[in-house]
Every structure is written in structure tokens, then in C-alpha cells.
């Protein structure tokens, strides 16, 4: 069964970038659908956020829910629990977006904002025990392993952070890291001072062990001397960084050598009608407000593109509505004074 | 008397861009000074804002004050009421920033975020009566003219908005516009339906009249037939658009044909150590969250630049601090996994 639906714009991803793009697109009156595995994306890994301009203290989940609510206020639609796996450009310039669950959508423009995903260990048992002892988000799942022995497979600051986070929950943590300890001086000092952490420098994971239902341990290998060792753990936290999973748009939009989508200053990719924003792009900085701003640029560029296709001059709704008689004012994008 | 002060970074401007840049710079531990005529810049012209991701409803002034407060939390300093009028690159790669009031500051990096300013009418009496009947912000100053006859000298959507705003305050409004009425269809209809507005299409201002203390009227001219006419008004609202006043950096940083500062995707200008963000740049979209995001990119680029100058690898504080033992975690800018 294939269902076909038509939208003005489809936003792929519901992190801060996808949500911010959808907010502007929906507010411009475009029929907008957001397709995403989940709400929040990497934002969920953020605990307290204290540098989002205008909000003194928030957290990733609250921020995501707040923007989702704004999107809904303006009529934006969501399809959660599904993943876009194919985009085809049609002859009339529109796009067909296909999902893993077999849905097909037609739209005039697309905003790619599906972020990055955690880098996997790439070892036996990892996939089998994903969610049953193997986690890619220490801050999300750490509390579930309170009182249990755990391992962090990680690198750099991200790995150190995870260890420090678990240190208060776990009686014993193995820190499995493939190089010497590195990252931030202060964090390294803090980790070294912990009584309940065994640091396994120059070690890599070999195999995840389990009883069929959940993780019971893992095999790690000393890279220097080749020695293998089994450690008994119930939780394995993978903190090896993030990668852009852009395979399904390879050949469609230009990617850089990190597989990130190359965009210009206003969120356009090399393909007319396809825009991108956030961590999936080649913008190096990973900050919520940057992703939000980038996404709004992409959204406004998408809106202008659709208006041009329809033979209209793009008028962009302003940042604000004034008090007074007008319901919404509409300062134009590039008002020709 | 010349005072010399040294900072790591000087931010020129305290609109949403300048404030957001300062927030990140100060939070990175850099000694940061914001120099600006006022707090908020064009943000103050925004009434209700309902599309800032994460904040359902706010307004320009509240948003500005909220970010200013965040900046102060991290130790950022402000110098209000003064205007930067000269930037010199020194032999050691540092900069000297001079102000109209004769202050001089030395810094390693600069973020230019001073926005745009309203386009003037360019007529006799305009400067003399600025603030004494001549206003460039209808939404800010309109309420001061409640019950008084006013004129809007404007164009397009911006002009129409101003008229609609005044319509509820002023018994009679002249709308002086140099072309035929244009802008948004809905706004034009609304303006035409107002009983208390006299629309003077194809008219331009010639002279502001006053009694020495305040505005008493203005002379306008019919562009088509050359006829001049005197209208009695106590308030003149100029809504002719905005321009980048970048003369003082001309020859230092590259500008486009609209005198906007040309930046790349991460907020760098053509001059090492000088960064820019917001409405003063060649990014075409005028939205608070875009300016905020652009400013944070510029700030992080400035931080990296300073770290490189000091022979360090730039480590960027993350969006968030996690719960746990660490006071602040520090995912790095481009963590080399």
C-alpha cells in the first residue's frame, strides 16, 4: 500500500533546525510536513542550555517541545517514527519523498535538516543490543543504569563528559578510549581524580556480550599489545562523535568530504528546490541558535523559491506583528524602496 | 582627554546580533565590550514577536533585555550612548577602536553588528526637529502623538504598517508616498478603508516646518505636477526603509553595492580579526533568530581566531552544561575524533 500526499514543503528532521524551518514555513501559510524519527534530535542530548539568546535557562527537550508547539500553532504537520530514504526530482520540478515505511509524498521544496547521528562502534553484538544495554546518549539513558557497572566507549571531551556524568550513578565505570586520554585539561583532571573509573587508554571494543535479552559485558582489546580482555558491564555508552548519514541524497545534492551537505549563505544546496540547515550541513558550529538561524534562512529561501515558481514576488511575514488593526504585518524580504 | 582600554573583543552594536555575539564571547571567558548608541537597535521597532523559535510570544524590547541580562551574567561589559567612528588595524595585528566621544580601545578581534539605520528624508528642518516631531519609529513614538494630526512619509509595506498603527491614535493622518500605493494587497485595502487617512500618492517631502521647539507642519510636493502644499501636522513619521551606515569601515572591510559588509558562511569578513553579523551584512533576511544565529557564528569564529593567535586550539563551550560534577562541559568546535 502506497499513500500519496501533496505538500508545499517537506522538512526532513525535527531537531531545532527542522522545527525552526517548519515554524517559518507554516507561518508563511505553506502546507508543511515534518518527517522525523523523533522529536528533538540531538537537542535531546542537551541538558541545561544557558546560552540560547533570549532564554536564560532551558533544556533540549523543553526547547524542542516549545518550537514544536509553535509549528503546530501555525498548522504545520508532523510524521514521527518514520525516516526519509529517497528523494526523486520529478519532471515538473517537484520532488517525490519516500520513507522507510513506504509512504510517498509530493512537494515543491524540501528542507534537509536531519542532523547527524552517533558514530557506531562497528562491532559484533552492537546492533543486537542497541537499546538493551548499548546506548548512544549517556545523558538520556545514564539514569537507567544507576547502581550498575558500565563502560563508556568514547573519545575526547565527549567521552570525558560521559564518564563524569556516569560517575555519580555507576559504582564502577570503564572508560575505553582508543588513544591516550585527551580533551579539555580540566575535564581530564576531573576524570583522573574519580575513584570509580578505570581508564583503558589505547583500547578498542571488539565485541558486545549478552545473554540474549541484555548486555552482560564486552570484549576490549589493547591496541598496543593486542591483548584482549573481557569486562563485565550492564551498560555500554558509545560517545565517539557524530556523522552525517547523507547516503540517500548522495548524487542528488553536493556533499563535502565529511558527507555534510554543502550550502551557501542562504541555505541553498546546489539543487534548485532543495535547501538544508543545521548539523547535516557544512556549517562547522554546533549550537542550537545557529541551527535555528540557519534553518530560518533555508525556510525563507524555500518560501521565495516556491513564490518564484508560482510567479509571485515573495513577501515574507515579519518577525513580529505590531499592535494595531492588522492581524499580521508583512515587511517584505527585499523591499524595493 | 583620551582613555585607553584593552579588551579581547569589541562588539559594535547592541541589537539582537551584537547581544548574541557578546553572550557567546563573554561565556567563552573573553573580555568583551559592547559599544552601542542604545540597547536593542531595530529590535525595539518590533512589537509582538511570535516566530522566535523557543519563545511563543515576546516583543523586541523584552528580547533585547533578556539577552543583555545573559551577557551580563557572563561578565560582558557595555558602553551605551557612544558610537564607534573609526577602526585602525595596528602593526601587531590588534585593532584600535575609536568612538565619537573620544574613547579609544585596543582589542584583538571585532564583531561588527551595528545593523541598519532608517533612511532619512533629506529635507530642510529634518535634522533640527529630529526627536521633536520627526520620528523614525512609528511603533516606538506613535503613542506620544495620540490625538494629534500626523504624517507618515513612507513607502511600501513599511509605510502602510505605520499608517495602520497611527490610525488608532491620530485623528488625521497624511500618508505621503513618492509612488502610487504599493505593498501588500491586504494592507493597501486596510489603509484605503480608513476614514482618517488622506493618501498623497506621488508626493515627496520638501521641508519640515516648526516653531523652533517642535514640528508644526511640513511642505510636500506633488511629483507629477510640481505643486507644493503645506500640511499642518505635529508628528512626522519617516518610514522609508533602512540603510547600512558603513562609511567608517569603507576601505577596511569589503562592502557590497548596498554598503553591506560582505561575510562568508561563518561570519568572517575579508579582514582577519574582523567579523560581522546581522542586518549590517549582506545576508538578505531580516529576522531576529537569523541575526542571533549569524552573530553566534561570528562570535565563535572570533573566539577561534583569538585562540589561534594565542597558539591554542579553539575549544568552544557547548550549548549546554550537563548535570553531573562538571561545572561546564566543553564539546569542542571541531572535535578531532
Amino acid at each position: 500500500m502506497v499513500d500519496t500526499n501533496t505538500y508545499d514543503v517537506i522538512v526532513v528532521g525535527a531537531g531545532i533546525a527542522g522545527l525552526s524551518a517548519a515554524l517559518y514555513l507554516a507561518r508563511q501559510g505553506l502546507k508543511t510536513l515534518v518527517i522525523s524519527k523523533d522529536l528533538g534530535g540531538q537537542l535531546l542530548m542537551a541538558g541545561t542550555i544557558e546560552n540560547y539568546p533570549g532564554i536564560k535557562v532551558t533544556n533540549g527537550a523543553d526547547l524542542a517541545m516549545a518550537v514544536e508547539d509553535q509549528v503546530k500553532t501555525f498548522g504545520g504537520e508532523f510524521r514521527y517514527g518514520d525516516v526519509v530514504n529517497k528523494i526523486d526530482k520529478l519532471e515538473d520540478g517537484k520532488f517525490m519523498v519516500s520513507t522507510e515505511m513506504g509512504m510517498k509524498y509530493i512537494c515543491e521544496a524540501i528542507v534537509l535538516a536531519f542532523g547527524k547521528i552517533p558514530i557506531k562502534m562497528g562491532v559484533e553484538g552492537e546492533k543486537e543490543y542497541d537499546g538493551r544495554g548499548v546506548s548512544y546518549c549517556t545523558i538520556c539513558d545514564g539514569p537507567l543504569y544507576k547502581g550498575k557497572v558500565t563502560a563508556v566507549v568514547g573519545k575526547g571531551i565527549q567521552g570525558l563528559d560521559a564518564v563524569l556524568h556516569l560517575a555519580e550513578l555507576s559504582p564502577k565505570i570503564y572508560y575505553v578510549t582508543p588513544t591516550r586520554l585527551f580533551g579539555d585539561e580540566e575535564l581530564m583532571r576531573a576524570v583522573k581524580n574519580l575513584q570509580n573509573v578505570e581508564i583503558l587508554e589505547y583500547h578498542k571494543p571488539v565485541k558486545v556480550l549478552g545473554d540474549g535479552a541484555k548486555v552482560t559485558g564486552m570484549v576490549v582489546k589493547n591496541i598496543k599489545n593486542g591483548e584482549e580482555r573481557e569486562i563485565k558491564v550492564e551498560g555500554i555508552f558509545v560517545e565517539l562523535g557524530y556523522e552525517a548519514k547523507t547516503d540517500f541524497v548522495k548524487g542528488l545534492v553536493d556533499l563535502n568530504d565529511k558527507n555534510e551537505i554543502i550550502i551557501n549563505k542562504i541555505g541553498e544546496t546546489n539543487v534548485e528546490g532543495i535547501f538544508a540547515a543545521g548539523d547535516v550541513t557544512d556549517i562547522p558550529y554546533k549550537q542550537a541558535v545557529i541551527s535555528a538561524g540557519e534553518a530560518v534562512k533555508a525556510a525563507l529561501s524555500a518560501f521565495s523559491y516556491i513564490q518564484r515558481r508560482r510567479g509571485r514576488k515573495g513577501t515574507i511575514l515579519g518577525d513580529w506583528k505590531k499592535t494595531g488593526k492588522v492581524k499580521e504585518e508583512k515587511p517584505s524580504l527585499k523591499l524595493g524602496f
Side-chain angles (χ1 to χ4, degrees), chain A:
Chain A
M1 274 285 290
V2 165
D3 201 347
T4 302
N5 288 303
T6 302
Y7 285 86
D8 293 325
V9 193
I10 287 180
V11 177
V12 185
I16 185 70
L19 293 168
S20 300
L23 164 59
Y24 268 71
L25 292 164
R27 187 160 178 271
Q28 291 300 124
L30 295 175
K31 197 183 173 205
T32 304
L33 175 68
V34 180
I35 304 176
S36 183
K37 206 171 60 182
D38 56 15
L39 168 67
Q42 287 184 260
L43 208 54
L44 298 182
M45 300 176 202
T48 306
I49 299 179
E50 58 176 20
N51 61 357
Y52 190 85
I55 306 180
K56 194 146 187 181
V57 180
T58 182
N59 65 65
D62 283 352
L63 184 57
M65 284 188 291
V67 189
E68 186 202 33
D69 179 48
Q70 286 175 289
V71 176
K72 287 181 173 168
T73 299
F74 294 110
E77 297 171 36
F78 289 86
R79 178 174 172 83
Y80 289 123
D82 202 357
V83 170
V84 172
N85 62 2
K86 198 157 178 282
I87 294 173
D88 297 293
K89 184 146 194 169
L90 307 178
E91 275 187 15
D92 60 358
K94 291 188 178 179
F95 299 94
M96 192 198 294
V97 174
S98 310
T99 74
E100 280 184 357
M101 293 172 73
M103 298 293 285
K104 291 193 186 301
Y105 301 95
I106 303 291
C107 62
E108 285 187 65
I110 295 172
V111 178
L112 301 173
F114 50 87
K116 286 195 167 79
I117 62 162
I119 292 171
K120 304 281 189 294
M121 294 182 287
V123 301
E124 201 188 318
E126 178 176 21
K127 201 171 176 182
E128 187 185 348
Y129 290 102
D130 183 351
R132 298 189 294 157
V134 175
S135 165
Y136 301 91
C137 180
T138 307
I139 198 163
C140 319
D141 299 331
L144 305 174
Y145 294 85
K146 196 169 166 144
K148 296 179 176 169
V149 177
T150 57
V152 171
V153 178
K155 288 181 192 172
I157 290 165
Q158 187 183 341
L160 296 171
D161 268 334
V163 171
L164 285 163
H165 184 67
L166 285 172
E168 299 197 341
L169 300 163
S170 196
K172 160 114 190 178
I173 305 136
Y174 295 93
Y175 182 39
V176 181
T177 190
T179 60
R180 64 168 186 77
L181 215 59
F182 78 93
D184 178 89
E185 291 295 336
E186 203 185 314
L187 293 182
M188 284 198 281
R189 211 175 310 119
V191 165
K192 282 178 184 163
N193 284 339
L194 291 169
Q195 300 298 313
N196 55 342
V197 174
E198 184 175 338
I199 301 170
L200 302 175
E201 290 180 313
Y202 300 105
H203 273 69
K204 64 172 190 184
V206 173
K207 193 180 175 182
V208 174
L209 306 172
D211 60 9
K214 54 183 177 39
V215 166
T216 57
M218 72 188 302
V219 180
V220 297
K221 183 176 183 171
N222 184 319
I223 295 165
K224 288 200 160 172
N225 61 22
E227 254 174 47
E228 291 197 3
R229 173 180 170 189
E230 196 182 310
I231 54 178
K232 274 199 182 338
V233 296
E234 293 185 66
I236 299 169
F237 295 90
V238 184
E239 298 283 1
L240 291 165
Y242 302 90
E243 60 183 339
K245 287 292 268 185
T246 46
D247 307 355
F248 76 101
V249 291
K250 206 169 235 169
L252 180 68
V253 296
D254 286 345
L255 307 176
N256 69 7
D257 57 2
K258 289 179 195 158
N259 288 322
E260 297 162 337
I261 299 168
I262 298 171
I263 55 168
N264 66 10
K265 280 196 283 195
I266 57 168
E268 296 172 328
T269 70
N270 62 308
V271 179
E272 267 214 313
I274 303 185
F275 306 84
D279 290 349
V280 79
T281 71
D282 63 337
I283 298 294
Y285 304 124
K286 221 175 125 63
Q287 298 288 328
V289 68
I290 294 178
S291 290
E294 292 290 310
V296 171
K297 283 196 288 178
L300 295 183
S301 295
F303 175 71
S304 296
Y305 166 78
I306 289 176
Q307 294 294 89
R308 281 198 310 277
R309 261 178 68 90
R310 295 176 182 177
R312 296 187 210 137
K313 249 183 84 175
T315 302
I316 302 293
L317 295 179
D319 240 1
W320 57 83
K321 47 174 198 186
K322 286 185 186 152
T323 52
K325 278 180 186 161
V326 223
K327 215 178 76 231
E328 283 190 312
E329 82 198 32
K330 300 165 181 175
S332 87
L333 170 54
K334 293 175 189 176
L335 208 50
F337 281 110

